[in-house]
Structures are given as structure tokens and as C-alpha cells.
Amino acid sequence: MGTGTLHIDLNALAANWRALDAMSGSDCLTAATVKADGYGLGVERVAKTLWHAGARRFFIAVAEEGAAIRAALGPDAEICVFSGHMETDTAALRDLHLIPMLNSIEQLTRHFERLPDHPFGVQLDTGMNRMGLEPVEWDAARAIVLERAPILVMSHLACADAPDDPMNARQLGQFRKMTDGIAAPRSLAATGGILLGEDYHFDMTRPGIGLYGGQPFADATPVVRLSLPIIQTREVAGGEIVGYGGSWMADEPTRVATLSAGYADGLIRAMGNEAVLFANGTPCPLVGRVSMDLLTADVSHLDSIPESLDILCAEQSVDDLAEAAGTIGYEILTSLGVRYHRQDSPAV
């Protein structure tokens, strides 16, 4: 096969949801965040797997993502839209039975006028300054909103992946100040918030990155393995360069393998000479720049040349690779390209 193979362990995905569900507590509903095409893994396989694991409510970023999930899961799944009710969303929200998380007075007005009997939730800004009603707006709209029985009142933590950050406690306090005493279900925690403990769980949690094996869920079971085929190998003499710009030069005779993948496949150029690939657990340093379609790795120390090397595997998680590239695991996962052959284990 001329392209890489992205192995997706659906049992691990389900196990991660069950683990985070158990941490959330028996009195707390655990949803699943499947935006960005299921964090790059394919939303149909991801949503079906999580449905069978026990998830019944799913979160997406924009209404356009809802059609694939509705087609995969049928009418019983609850599908919530973080971006709320935008100007062109009305038909999709109605026809696909999507539930918007309304973020502003403008969205509240639009939703109540266009879809007055349609379910909705509300997002509050507790300090992240990204989306949601600010405290003064919530004070003005609260009575009207609560009369219409939102399915959820939620906010989002800015620093949950840093447990000791004082912002977590500040946002928790602000959320309580804005919502204590209401009858509507509440939600504050995604993956990081679940790990912060019971005080952050409220009535529903909505894990995302932890489902897919990413930090801050350190006990997550790895979900992906990415194997890249070797196109050819060559002997590079000491003093010769490899790749664009001559950013890597051999100090001694080196056997270099050229692999079929590059930044067009989500292996971002910034990882440069910092990343490592693996041959059955043996590290093979990346040498030279990442090209659009090609990588090069030092395989001099291997007794035999395999058909492929792994760049995501048990030895190197999405977060390890992200560190080499100066980014975060979210970006690595959601950038995984369409050219990879996606192989499920087990198949859905």
C-alpha cells in the first residue's frame, strides 16, 4: 500500500469512555464530544462505537457536522451544537433535530423566534472569554431562558489540563454563582474537568480528547497507531544532506529510509528533526525536513528494513509527537489526513 495506515482501536475508544463515565459518577450523565470528524478518526465509526459503549448525548462544533452523526445513529441520539443557533442553522437544527447551545442574546432571540418549541441549551461565559452569555447578559435573560426549560446550562474550563491553576477554582465559583438554585441540568467538565474531581461534574460531563487517548487523561488506552510505508532506502555519505534546505547533514555514512507521508497528511513541518519513528519498538530518528508527501528517517542501526515504520504507537503517543512539533495532541489528531487507509480494530 502506497499510503500510511491509521489503525483505530475501537475497543480502546469504548474503554476510555467507560473509564471517564465511571469517574464522572453514577448520578452524572456522561456525554461524548465527537466534533472535527470524531477528532480526525471518522465520526461515523466513533459515534457508533461510543453509542454501543453507552453514550447517548453527543457534542459537535457546528450544525453541519450533525448530518453524519444523525445518519449513523438514527433518531434517538441527542446531538448538541456548541456554536449554537447561527444565522443559517435554522433548517439543519429543525430537520436533523439538533440541540443548539445558545451563546448570546442574539442567538436566544433568533432561536425563540424561529424555533420556539425546539429544545435548546445555554452556554455561559465564566471567564474564558470565548463563547457564552456574560454574567450581566445572563442576569437579564435568566428568567426568560429558564421559563423555557433548557435541557442544559453549561460553561467551559480554560485551564482544566493544569489542575493547580487557580483559574479552575475561579471558574467553578463563577459557574456556581450564576447557576446555583436553577432546575436545569448543569455541565462544566470536559476531560480535564472530570479529572479535577466531583465538584466539577454537576449533572453531565462531556469528555473529548481523553476518549481518543490524549492528555490530560494519563490513564487513557491508546486509540491510534499510524504506520508509514517505506518507499526506498539509500546510503548517504558523511557530509551529504537530506531533504529541503539541507537542515540535516550526515556525520557519517547513514542509511536513510524515505517514507510515504508528509505535512499534507497532518505530520506538520514544525516537527523537523525532532520526531522519532519506530520499527517494532526500536527508535529511528527523523532526519531532514518534513516534505509535503515524504519523511526521511535514519535506519542505519536496523538489522533488516521493515515495510513500514510507526510514528504513532505504544512508544510515541499523540502528545509525545505533539511535543516534538511544538503543538498539542488535539492538533495532531485532528490533522490526520484523508490519504491514510483507516483500519478499524474491531470493525464497526
Side-chain angles (χ1 to χ4, degrees), residues 102-133:
L102 305 177
N103 290 291
S104 65
I105 298 296
E106 179 185 16
Q107 287 199 359
L108 290 171
T109 303
R110 179 181 299 129
H111 190 74
F112 295 162
E113 289 179 351
R114 296 185 186 180
L115 297 174
D117 299 320
H118 192 90
F120 70 96
V122 175
Q123 183 161 191
L124 306 179
D125 177 25
T126 54
M128 193 173 185
N129 287 305
R130 194 176 62 167
M131 285 203 301
L133 294 166

PDB file of all heavy atoms in Angstrom, residues 102-133:
ATOM      1  N   LEU A 102     -27.061  27.827  23.048  1.00  0.00           N
ATOM      2  CA  LEU A 102     -27.170  29.241  22.683  1.00  0.00           C
ATOM      3  C   LEU A 102     -26.143  30.061  23.463  1.00  0.00           C
ATOM      4  O   LEU A 102     -26.000  29.910  24.675  1.00  0.00           O
ATOM      5  CB  LEU A 102     -28.589  29.729  22.940  1.00  0.00           C
ATOM      6  CG  LEU A 102     -29.681  28.896  22.232  1.00  0.00           C
ATOM      7  CD1 LEU A 102     -31.064  29.406  22.607  1.00  0.00           C
ATOM      8  CD2 LEU A 102     -29.485  28.888  20.719  1.00  0.00           C
ATOM      9  N   ASN A 103     -25.448  30.949  22.743  1.00  0.00           N
ATOM     10  CA  ASN A 103     -24.264  31.619  23.274  1.00  0.00           C
ATOM     11  C   ASN A 103     -24.406  33.119  23.479  1.00  0.00           C
ATOM     12  O   ASN A 103     -23.490  33.744  24.014  1.00  0.00           O
ATOM     13  CB  ASN A 103     -23.087  31.387  22.311  1.00  0.00           C
ATOM     14  CG  ASN A 103     -22.596  29.957  22.325  1.00  0.00           C
ATOM     15  OD1 ASN A 103     -22.031  29.516  23.307  1.00  0.00           O
ATOM     16  ND2 ASN A 103     -22.825  29.228  21.243  1.00  0.00           N
ATOM     17  N   SER A 104     -25.506  33.712  23.038  1.00  0.00           N
ATOM     18  CA  SER A 104     -25.615  35.167  23.091  1.00  0.00           C
ATOM     19  C   SER A 104     -27.085  35.566  23.131  1.00  0.00           C
ATOM     20  O   SER A 104     -27.976  34.763  22.831  1.00  0.00           O
ATOM     21  CB  SER A 104     -24.949  35.797  21.860  1.00  0.00           C
ATOM     22  OG  SER A 104     -25.654  35.428  20.676  1.00  0.00           O
ATOM     23  N   ILE A 105     -27.331  36.820  23.473  1.00  0.00           N
ATOM     24  CA  ILE A 105     -28.693  37.351  23.424  1.00  0.00           C
ATOM     25  C   ILE A 105     -29.232  37.256  22.005  1.00  0.00           C
ATOM     26  O   ILE A 105     -30.403  36.913  21.787  1.00  0.00           O
ATOM     27  CB  ILE A 105     -28.717  38.811  23.918  1.00  0.00           C
ATOM     28  CG1 ILE A 105     -28.264  38.895  25.386  1.00  0.00           C
ATOM     29  CG2 ILE A 105     -30.103  39.409  23.735  1.00  0.00           C
ATOM     30  CD1 ILE A 105     -29.170  38.194  26.367  1.00  0.00           C
ATOM     31  N   GLU A 106     -28.387  37.533  21.028  1.00  0.00           N
ATOM     32  CA  GLU A 106     -28.795  37.431  19.625  1.00  0.00           C
ATOM     33  C   GLU A 106     -29.258  36.015  19.294  1.00  0.00           C
ATOM     34  O   GLU A 106     -30.287  35.821  18.632  1.00  0.00           O
ATOM     35  CB  GLU A 106     -27.632  37.834  18.722  1.00  0.00           C
ATOM     36  CG  GLU A 106     -27.931  37.739  17.237  1.00  0.00           C
ATOM     37  CD  GLU A 106     -26.716  38.033  16.373  1.00  0.00           C
ATOM     38  OE1 GLU A 106     -25.584  38.006  16.912  1.00  0.00           O
ATOM     39  OE2 GLU A 106     -26.898  38.273  15.171  1.00  0.00           O
ATOM     40  N   GLN A 107     -28.511  35.015  19.750  1.00  0.00           N
ATOM     41  CA  GLN A 107     -28.903  33.635  19.467  1.00  0.00           C
ATOM     42  C   GLN A 107     -30.170  33.242  20.217  1.00  0.00           C
ATOM     43  O   GLN A 107     -31.014  32.513  19.678  1.00  0.00           O
ATOM     44  CB  GLN A 107     -27.761  32.680  19.816  1.00  0.00           C
ATOM     45  CG  GLN A 107     -26.594  32.732  18.845  1.00  0.00           C
ATOM     46  CD  GLN A 107     -25.708  31.500  18.937  1.00  0.00           C
ATOM     47  OE1 GLN A 107     -25.938  30.598  19.742  1.00  0.00           O
ATOM     48  NE2 GLN A 107     -24.693  31.455  18.094  1.00  0.00           N
ATOM     49  N   LEU A 108     -30.312  33.686  21.446  1.00  0.00           N
ATOM     50  CA  LEU A 108     -31.548  33.412  22.184  1.00  0.00           C
ATOM     51  C   LEU A 108     -32.750  33.961  21.425  1.00  0.00           C
ATOM     52  O   LEU A 108     -33.765  33.271  21.245  1.00  0.00           O
ATOM     53  CB  LEU A 108     -31.487  34.045  23.573  1.00  0.00           C
ATOM     54  CG  LEU A 108     -30.528  33.431  24.596  1.00  0.00           C
ATOM     55  CD1 LEU A 108     -30.436  34.323  25.826  1.00  0.00           C
ATOM     56  CD2 LEU A 108     -30.964  32.031  24.995  1.00  0.00           C
ATOM     57  N   THR A 109     -32.635  35.192  20.976  1.00  0.00           N
ATOM     58  CA  THR A 109     -33.734  35.826  20.247  1.00  0.00           C
ATOM     59  C   THR A 109     -34.040  35.069  18.962  1.00  0.00           C
ATOM     60  O   THR A 109     -35.207  34.783  18.646  1.00  0.00           O
ATOM     61  CB  THR A 109     -33.373  37.287  19.926  1.00  0.00           C
ATOM     62  OG1 THR A 109     -33.083  37.977  21.142  1.00  0.00           O
ATOM     63  CG2 THR A 109     -34.513  37.976  19.199  1.00  0.00           C
ATOM     64  N   ARG A 110     -33.006  34.740  18.217  1.00  0.00           N
ATOM     65  CA  ARG A 110     -33.191  34.021  16.950  1.00  0.00           C
ATOM     66  C   ARG A 110     -33.890  32.682  17.184  1.00  0.00           C
ATOM     67  O   ARG A 110     -34.831  32.320  16.477  1.00  0.00           O
ATOM     68  CB  ARG A 110     -31.836  33.807  16.284  1.00  0.00           C
ATOM     69  CG  ARG A 110     -31.895  33.044  14.963  1.00  0.00           C
ATOM     70  CD  ARG A 110     -30.499  32.846  14.390  1.00  0.00           C
ATOM     71  NE  ARG A 110     -29.868  34.129  14.117  1.00  0.00           N
ATOM     72  CZ  ARG A 110     -28.652  34.471  14.529  1.00  0.00           C
ATOM     73  NH1 ARG A 110     -27.928  33.613  15.247  1.00  0.00           N
ATOM     74  NH2 ARG A 110     -28.158  35.653  14.244  1.00  0.00           N
ATOM     75  N   HIS A 111     -33.422  31.955  18.179  1.00  0.00           N
ATOM     76  CA  HIS A 111     -33.970  30.620  18.418  1.00  0.00           C
ATOM     77  C   HIS A 111     -35.419  30.691  18.888  1.00  0.00           C
ATOM     78  O   HIS A 111     -36.276  29.936  18.402  1.00  0.00           O
ATOM     79  CB  HIS A 111     -33.121  29.889  19.454  1.00  0.00           C
ATOM     80  CG  HIS A 111     -33.465  28.443  19.577  1.00  0.00           C
ATOM     81  ND1 HIS A 111     -33.115  27.511  18.630  1.00  0.00           N
ATOM     82  CD2 HIS A 111     -34.166  27.758  20.535  1.00  0.00           C
ATOM     83  CE1 HIS A 111     -33.556  26.317  18.991  1.00  0.00           C
ATOM     84  NE2 HIS A 111     -34.204  26.444  20.147  1.00  0.00           N
ATOM     85  N   PHE A 112     -35.711  31.581  19.811  1.00  0.00           N
ATOM     86  CA  PHE A 112     -37.067  31.659  20.344  1.00  0.00           C
ATOM     87  C   PHE A 112     -38.061  32.156  19.295  1.00  0.00           C
ATOM     88  O   PHE A 112     -39.242  31.802  19.331  1.00  0.00           O
ATOM     89  CB  PHE A 112     -37.097  32.572  21.573  1.00  0.00           C
ATOM     90  CG  PHE A 112     -36.305  32.045  22.740  1.00  0.00           C
ATOM     91  CD1 PHE A 112     -35.922  32.893  23.771  1.00  0.00           C
ATOM     92  CD2 PHE A 112     -35.938  30.711  22.818  1.00  0.00           C
ATOM     93  CE1 PHE A 112     -35.190  32.421  24.852  1.00  0.00           C
ATOM     94  CE2 PHE A 112     -35.201  30.223  23.890  1.00  0.00           C
ATOM     95  CZ  PHE A 112     -34.825  31.081  24.912  1.00  0.00           C
ATOM     96  N   GLU A 113     -37.585  32.958  18.340  1.00  0.00           N
ATOM     97  CA  GLU A 113     -38.472  33.443  17.281  1.00  0.00           C
ATOM     98  C   GLU A 113     -38.663  32.410  16.176  1.00  0.00           C
ATOM     99  O   GLU A 113     -39.777  32.215  15.681  1.00  0.00           O
ATOM    100  CB  GLU A 113     -37.913  34.737  16.684  1.00  0.00           C
ATOM    101  CG  GLU A 113     -38.011  35.936  17.616  1.00  0.00           C
ATOM    102  CD  GLU A 113     -37.435  37.196  16.998  1.00  0.00           C
ATOM    103  OE1 GLU A 113     -36.800  37.100  15.915  1.00  0.00           O
ATOM    104  OE2 GLU A 113     -37.605  38.279  17.598  1.00  0.00           O
ATOM    105  N   ARG A 114     -37.584  31.733  15.784  1.00  0.00           N
ATOM    106  CA  ARG A 114     -37.667  30.841  14.626  1.00  0.00           C
ATOM    107  C   ARG A 114     -38.091  29.424  14.995  1.00  0.00           C
ATOM    108  O   ARG A 114     -38.789  28.762  14.220  1.00  0.00           O
ATOM    109  CB  ARG A 114     -36.319  30.797  13.908  1.00  0.00           C
ATOM    110  CG  ARG A 114     -35.899  32.128  13.313  1.00  0.00           C
ATOM    111  CD  ARG A 114     -34.604  31.970  12.524  1.00  0.00           C
ATOM    112  NE  ARG A 114     -34.101  33.246  12.047  1.00  0.00           N
ATOM    113  CZ  ARG A 114     -32.980  33.388  11.334  1.00  0.00           C
ATOM    114  NH1 ARG A 114     -32.258  32.310  11.022  1.00  0.00           N
ATOM    115  NH2 ARG A 114     -32.586  34.585  10.941  1.00  0.00           N
ATOM    116  N   LEU A 115     -37.637  28.937  16.145  1.00  0.00           N
ATOM    117  CA  LEU A 115     -37.939  27.560  16.558  1.00  0.00           C
ATOM    118  C   LEU A 115     -38.415  27.574  18.013  1.00  0.00           C
ATOM    119  O   LEU A 115     -37.764  27.031  18.905  1.00  0.00           O
ATOM    120  CB  LEU A 115     -36.692  26.674  16.412  1.00  0.00           C
ATOM    121  CG  LEU A 115     -36.119  26.492  15.004  1.00  0.00           C
ATOM    122  CD1 LEU A 115     -34.800  25.712  15.058  1.00  0.00           C
ATOM    123  CD2 LEU A 115     -37.111  25.777  14.092  1.00  0.00           C
ATOM    124  N   PRO A 116     -39.560  28.181  18.270  1.00  0.00           N
ATOM    125  CA  PRO A 116     -39.968  28.421  19.658  1.00  0.00           C
ATOM    126  C   PRO A 116     -40.193  27.163  20.488  1.00  0.00           C
ATOM    127  O   PRO A 116     -40.076  27.212  21.715  1.00  0.00           O
ATOM    128  CB  PRO A 116     -41.268  29.220  19.503  1.00  0.00           C
ATOM    129  CG  PRO A 116     -41.744  28.928  18.120  1.00  0.00           C
ATOM    130  CD  PRO A 116     -40.520  28.731  17.297  1.00  0.00           C
ATOM    131  N   ASP A 117     -40.513  26.052  19.852  1.00  0.00           N
ATOM    132  CA  ASP A 117     -40.767  24.817  20.600  1.00  0.00           C
ATOM    133  C   ASP A 117     -39.627  23.808  20.492  1.00  0.00           C
ATOM    134  O   ASP A 117     -39.775  22.656  20.913  1.00  0.00           O
ATOM    135  CB  ASP A 117     -42.070  24.168  20.090  1.00  0.00           C
ATOM    136  CG  ASP A 117     -43.274  25.067  20.289  1.00  0.00           C
ATOM    137  OD1 ASP A 117     -43.349  25.707  21.358  1.00  0.00           O
ATOM    138  OD2 ASP A 117     -44.117  25.148  19.376  1.00  0.00           O
ATOM    139  N   HIS A 118     -38.502  24.242  19.954  1.00  0.00           N
ATOM    140  CA  HIS A 118     -37.371  23.347  19.715  1.00  0.00           C
ATOM    141  C   HIS A 118     -36.457  23.333  20.941  1.00  0.00           C
ATOM    142  O   HIS A 118     -36.164  24.378  21.524  1.00  0.00           O
ATOM    143  CB  HIS A 118     -36.594  23.849  18.490  1.00  0.00           C
ATOM    144  CG  HIS A 118     -35.582  22.883  17.960  1.00  0.00           C
ATOM    145  ND1 HIS A 118     -35.880  21.952  16.998  1.00  0.00           N
ATOM    146  CD2 HIS A 118     -34.270  22.705  18.265  1.00  0.00           C
ATOM    147  CE1 HIS A 118     -34.793  21.253  16.712  1.00  0.00           C
ATOM    148  NE2 HIS A 118     -33.804  21.687  17.477  1.00  0.00           N
ATOM    149  N   PRO A 119     -35.965  22.168  21.363  1.00  0.00           N
ATOM    150  CA  PRO A 119     -35.096  22.125  22.545  1.00  0.00           C
ATOM    151  C   PRO A 119     -33.800  22.908  22.338  1.00  0.00           C
ATOM    152  O   PRO A 119     -33.320  23.068  21.216  1.00  0.00           O
ATOM    153  CB  PRO A 119     -34.824  20.634  22.738  1.00  0.00           C
ATOM    154  CG  PRO A 119     -35.126  19.998  21.430  1.00  0.00           C
ATOM    155  CD  PRO A 119     -36.197  20.827  20.796  1.00  0.00           C
ATOM    156  N   PHE A 120     -33.228  23.353  23.448  1.00  0.00           N
ATOM    157  CA  PHE A 120     -32.002  24.147  23.395  1.00  0.00           C
ATOM    158  C   PHE A 120     -31.279  24.032  24.729  1.00  0.00           C
ATOM    159  O   PHE A 120     -31.840  23.609  25.739  1.00  0.00           O
ATOM    160  CB  PHE A 120     -32.318  25.622  23.107  1.00  0.00           C
ATOM    161  CG  PHE A 120     -32.998  26.324  24.256  1.00  0.00           C
ATOM    162  CD1 PHE A 120     -32.263  27.083  25.167  1.00  0.00           C
ATOM    163  CD2 PHE A 120     -34.369  26.204  24.458  1.00  0.00           C
ATOM    164  CE1 PHE A 120     -32.878  27.708  26.242  1.00  0.00           C
ATOM    165  CE2 PHE A 120     -34.997  26.830  25.531  1.00  0.00           C
ATOM    166  CZ  PHE A 120     -34.252  27.579  26.425  1.00  0.00           C
ATOM    167  N   GLY A 121     -30.017  24.411  24.711  1.00  0.00           N
ATOM    168  CA  GLY A 121     -29.243  24.608  25.924  1.00  0.00           C
ATOM    169  C   GLY A 121     -28.640  25.996  25.892  1.00  0.00           C
ATOM    170  O   GLY A 121     -28.777  26.733  24.909  1.00  0.00           O
ATOM    171  N   VAL A 122     -27.969  26.362  26.963  1.00  0.00           N
ATOM    172  CA  VAL A 122     -27.357  27.688  27.067  1.00  0.00           C
ATOM    173  C   VAL A 122     -25.921  27.529  27.537  1.00  0.00           C
ATOM    174  O   VAL A 122     -25.629  26.727  28.435  1.00  0.00           O
ATOM    175  CB  VAL A 122     -28.136  28.579  28.057  1.00  0.00           C
ATOM    176  CG1 VAL A 122     -27.423  29.915  28.248  1.00  0.00           C
ATOM    177  CG2 VAL A 122     -29.551  28.812  27.561  1.00  0.00           C
ATOM    178  N   GLN A 123     -25.037  28.289  26.918  1.00  0.00           N
ATOM    179  CA  GLN A 123     -23.644  28.317  27.360  1.00  0.00           C
ATOM    180  C   GLN A 123     -23.352  29.655  28.029  1.00  0.00           C
ATOM    181  O   GLN A 123     -23.713  30.716  27.492  1.00  0.00           O
ATOM    182  CB  GLN A 123     -22.684  28.090  26.195  1.00  0.00           C
ATOM    183  CG  GLN A 123     -21.236  28.031  26.645  1.00  0.00           C
ATOM    184  CD  GLN A 123     -20.298  27.376  25.640  1.00  0.00           C
ATOM    185  OE1 GLN A 123     -19.156  27.091  25.976  1.00  0.00           O
ATOM    186  NE2 GLN A 123     -20.759  27.130  24.434  1.00  0.00           N
ATOM    187  N   LEU A 124     -22.701  29.588  29.191  1.00  0.00           N
ATOM    188  CA  LEU A 124     -22.344  30.779  29.953  1.00  0.00           C
ATOM    189  C   LEU A 124     -20.838  30.995  29.911  1.00  0.00           C
ATOM    190  O   LEU A 124     -20.064  30.032  29.917  1.00  0.00           O
ATOM    191  CB  LEU A 124     -22.792  30.628  31.411  1.00  0.00           C
ATOM    192  CG  LEU A 124     -24.263  30.285  31.651  1.00  0.00           C
ATOM    193  CD1 LEU A 124     -24.529  30.144  33.145  1.00  0.00           C
ATOM    194  CD2 LEU A 124     -25.180  31.330  31.031  1.00  0.00           C
ATOM    195  N   ASP A 125     -20.432  32.259  29.895  1.00  0.00           N
ATOM    196  CA  ASP A 125     -19.006  32.589  29.978  1.00  0.00           C
ATOM    197  C   ASP A 125     -18.644  32.810  31.438  1.00  0.00           C
ATOM    198  O   ASP A 125     -19.122  33.745  32.075  1.00  0.00           O
ATOM    199  CB  ASP A 125     -18.710  33.844  29.161  1.00  0.00           C
ATOM    200  CG  ASP A 125     -17.257  34.274  29.284  1.00  0.00           C
ATOM    201  OD1 ASP A 125     -16.416  33.408  29.583  1.00  0.00           O
ATOM    202  OD2 ASP A 125     -16.971  35.471  29.098  1.00  0.00           O
ATOM    203  N   THR A 126     -17.795  31.931  31.966  1.00  0.00           N
ATOM    204  CA  THR A 126     -17.363  32.055  33.362  1.00  0.00           C
ATOM    205  C   THR A 126     -15.924  32.541  33.478  1.00  0.00           C
ATOM    206  O   THR A 126     -15.310  32.407  34.538  1.00  0.00           O
ATOM    207  CB  THR A 126     -17.517  30.701  34.080  1.00  0.00           C
ATOM    208  OG1 THR A 126     -16.823  29.685  33.335  1.00  0.00           O
ATOM    209  CG2 THR A 126     -18.989  30.327  34.211  1.00  0.00           C
ATOM    210  N   GLY A 127     -15.394  33.092  32.385  1.00  0.00           N
ATOM    211  CA  GLY A 127     -14.056  33.669  32.462  1.00  0.00           C
ATOM    212  C   GLY A 127     -13.136  33.339  31.314  1.00  0.00           C
ATOM    213  O   GLY A 127     -12.050  33.911  31.204  1.00  0.00           O
ATOM    214  N   MET A 128     -13.551  32.439  30.421  1.00  0.00           N
ATOM    215  CA  MET A 128     -12.690  32.069  29.301  1.00  0.00           C
ATOM    216  C   MET A 128     -12.721  33.118  28.193  1.00  0.00           C
ATOM    217  O   MET A 128     -11.806  33.203  27.371  1.00  0.00           O
ATOM    218  CB  MET A 128     -13.097  30.701  28.751  1.00  0.00           C
ATOM    219  CG  MET A 128     -12.084  30.098  27.800  1.00  0.00           C
ATOM    220  SD  MET A 128     -12.529  28.399  27.356  1.00  0.00           S
ATOM    221  CE  MET A 128     -11.102  27.942  26.375  1.00  0.00           C
ATOM    222  N   ASN A 129     -13.816  33.894  28.143  1.00  0.00           N
ATOM    223  CA  ASN A 129     -13.951  34.968  27.159  1.00  0.00           C
ATOM    224  C   ASN A 129     -13.838  34.467  25.728  1.00  0.00           C
ATOM    225  O   ASN A 129     -13.115  35.023  24.899  1.00  0.00           O
ATOM    226  CB  ASN A 129     -12.921  36.075  27.416  1.00  0.00           C
ATOM    227  CG  ASN A 129     -13.280  36.903  28.631  1.00  0.00           C
ATOM    228  OD1 ASN A 129     -14.382  37.438  28.719  1.00  0.00           O
ATOM    229  ND2 ASN A 129     -12.374  36.973  29.594  1.00  0.00           N
ATOM    230  N   ARG A 130     -14.606  33.410  25.467  1.00  0.00           N
ATOM    231  CA  ARG A 130     -14.606  32.849  24.121  1.00  0.00           C
ATOM    232  C   ARG A 130     -16.036  32.745  23.599  1.00  0.00           C
ATOM    233  O   ARG A 130     -16.380  33.366  22.607  1.00  0.00           O
ATOM    234  CB  ARG A 130     -13.904  31.484  24.131  1.00  0.00           C
ATOM    235  CG  ARG A 130     -13.545  30.967  22.764  1.00  0.00           C
ATOM    236  CD  ARG A 130     -12.761  29.672  22.841  1.00  0.00           C
ATOM    237  NE  ARG A 130     -13.504  28.587  23.469  1.00  0.00           N
ATOM    238  CZ  ARG A 130     -13.129  27.310  23.423  1.00  0.00           C
ATOM    239  NH1 ARG A 130     -12.007  26.970  22.807  1.00  0.00           N
ATOM    240  NH2 ARG A 130     -13.848  26.375  24.013  1.00  0.00           N
ATOM    241  N   MET A 131     -16.873  31.962  24.260  1.00  0.00           N
ATOM    242  CA  MET A 131     -18.279  31.853  23.887  1.00  0.00           C
ATOM    243  C   MET A 131     -19.128  31.844  25.147  1.00  0.00           C
ATOM    244  O   MET A 131     -18.679  31.430  26.210  1.00  0.00           O
ATOM    245  CB  MET A 131     -18.555  30.571  23.080  1.00  0.00           C
ATOM    246  CG  MET A 131     -18.070  30.603  21.649  1.00  0.00           C
ATOM    247  SD  MET A 131     -18.947  29.419  20.576  1.00  0.00           S
ATOM    248  CE  MET A 131     -18.600  27.858  21.388  1.00  0.00           C
ATOM    249  N   GLY A 132     -20.378  32.281  24.999  1.00  0.00           N
ATOM    250  CA  GLY A 132     -21.318  32.194  26.100  1.00  0.00           C
ATOM    251  C   GLY A 132     -21.807  33.544  26.587  1.00  0.00           C
ATOM    252  O   GLY A 132     -21.188  34.587  26.353  1.00  0.00           O
ATOM    253  N   LEU A 133     -22.939  33.507  27.282  1.00  0.00           N
ATOM    254  CA  LEU A 133     -23.506  34.709  27.875  1.00  0.00           C
ATOM    255  C   LEU A 133     -22.636  35.170  29.039  1.00  0.00           C
ATOM    256  O   LEU A 133     -22.287  34.376  29.918  1.00  0.00           O
ATOM    257  CB  LEU A 133     -24.917  34.430  28.387  1.00  0.00           C
ATOM    258  CG  LEU A 133     -25.989  34.090  27.340  1.00  0.00           C
ATOM    259  CD1 LEU A 133     -27.205  33.505  28.018  1.00  0.00           C
ATOM    260  CD2 LEU A 133     -26.362  35.319  26.536  1.00  0.00           C
TER     261      LEU A 133
END
